[in-house]
Amino acid sequence: MTPALECHNIRSGYGDMEIIAGIDLKLDVGDIYAIVGKNGAGKTTLVKTIMRVLPLLGGSFTLFGNDAAKLSTNQVVSLGIASSPQDRPFFNDLSVEENLRLGALGQSRQQFRGEIDRIVEMFPFIGQRLAQKVGTLSGGEQAMVKVGRALLPKPRLVILDEVTEGLQPMIVDRVREVLLRDHKERSITILVVEQNVDFVAGLASRYGLIERGCMVAEGRFSDSGARKRITDHLLV
């Protein structure tokens, strides 16, 4: 089966500054994979490169068999790939529903209403706040809207960047439940970029540890001592 994502020695960065210094990565369809690393390790740069926001400086990668170096961000999205970036890119003066609509471009009104109903079932508070300006929500509420928006277009692959940052444990648990549910019901592939080891250990089956733009270790969370090894690395 064609991998959802396959990277070969990719390099990327900002201008002349190389941040990603040669990463190999493979996600099969249906995988839940976690990229773990400290702040500044290159995690967000990797996400932006996959989404074609940043240029590929070297290497190659494919998305569902398509040469991603030749794709624009819009073309990546058209392949069924959704991203939930670390910063919350909302239009604060627009309502929750209007911001959600941005994640469902191309859907008919009927399709959108059906997906909204599904997201409200996952995050009931959203149903009570659809008319409220998103800029007035708390950080935790915005995070749930962000996840909901990423799942609205029924993606084949969803990429989540630091989605639990600053959230209360109860909300973190709810986000994990929602992702596991969508993974089971829709067989989506999930790439999650995080520092929250407890969150990803309860979500992903495999992990890659990134440091200074390089993948320094890979493994399975089911391996004995995996969580401790990752935690110890992040504390150094």
Side-chain angles (χ1 to χ4, degrees), residues 176-204:
R176 179 169 48 228
E177 290 170 7
V178 165
L179 292 173
L180 288 172
R181 172 178 165 177
D182 234 41
H183 176 260
K184 179 179 179 180
E185 294 181 353
R186 297 195 167 182
S187 301
I188 63 171
T189 305
I190 300 173
L191 176 61
V192 56
V193 173
E194 271 287 346
Q195 293 188 72
N196 187 330
V197 180
D198 289 338
F199 173 70
V200 294
L203 175 67

Side-chain angles (χ1 to χ4, degrees), residues 5-204:
L5 169 67
E6 190 165 19
C7 303
H8 296 286
N9 195 35
I10 64 170
R11 296 184 294 107
S12 183
Y14 301 83
D16 295 331
M17 182 182 298
E18 185 176 274
I19 304 297
I20 298 299
I23 284 182
D24 295 322
L25 178 63
K26 181 180 178 182
L27 272 71
D28 290 322
V29 173
D31 273 353
I32 306 181
Y33 190 100
I35 297 287
V36 188
K38 302 176 184 178
N39 282 333
K43 305 187 302 299
T44 294
T45 301
L46 177 61
V47 170
K48 289 183 176 180
T49 303
I50 293 171
M51 293 302 299
R52 306 308 296 120
V53 175
L54 289 177
L56 188 66
L57 302 179
S60 62
F61 72 103
T62 60
L63 290 163
F64 295 102
N66 297 273
D67 182 356
K70 299 178 180 179
L71 302 178
S72 66
T73 299
N74 286 341
Q75 289 170 324
V76 168
V77 172
S78 72
L79 291 175
I81 297 160
S83 173
S84 179
Q86 182 178 13
D87 52 346
R88 297 188 173 97
F90 294 120
F91 290 92
N92 288 335
D93 289 334
L94 297 182
S95 69
V96 169
E97 182 170 355
E98 288 167 333
N99 273 274
L100 287 172
R101 176 51 112 167
L102 296 176
L105 296 177
Q107 289 184 354
S108 68
R109 181 174 294 275
Q110 183 178 5
Q111 289 172 322
F112 176 65
R113 294 314 317 176
E115 289 305 305
I116 280 284
D117 289 345
R118 187 175 68 90
I119 296 302
V120 168
E121 183 184 355
M122 294 176 173
F123 296 120
F125 101 93
I126 289 179
Q128 303 165 7
R129 306 290 183 88
L130 288 174
Q132 184 171 333
K133 289 184 178 181
V134 78
T136 65
L137 301 180
S138 69
E141 290 169 339
Q142 287 190 6
M144 287 185 276
V145 173
K146 186 169 72 165
V147 172
R149 188 172 67 179
L151 297 177
L152 258 175
K154 298 188 287 189
R156 301 159 73 190
L157 166 64
V158 63
I159 303 174
L160 306 166
D161 188 359
E162 301 285 6
V163 70
T164 71
E165 186 176 31
L167 299 187
Q168 298 176 356
M170 182 176 65
I171 299 177
V172 171
D173 290 343
R174 184 57 183 154
V175 168
R176 179 169 48 228
E177 290 170 7
V178 165
L179 292 173
L180 288 172
R181 172 178 165 177
D182 234 41
H183 176 260
K184 179 179 179 180
E185 294 181 353
R186 297 195 167 182
S187 301
I188 63 171
T189 305
I190 300 173
L191 176 61
V192 56
V193 173
E194 271 287 346
Q195 293 188 72
N196 187 330
V197 180
D198 289 338
F199 173 70
V200 294
L203 175 67

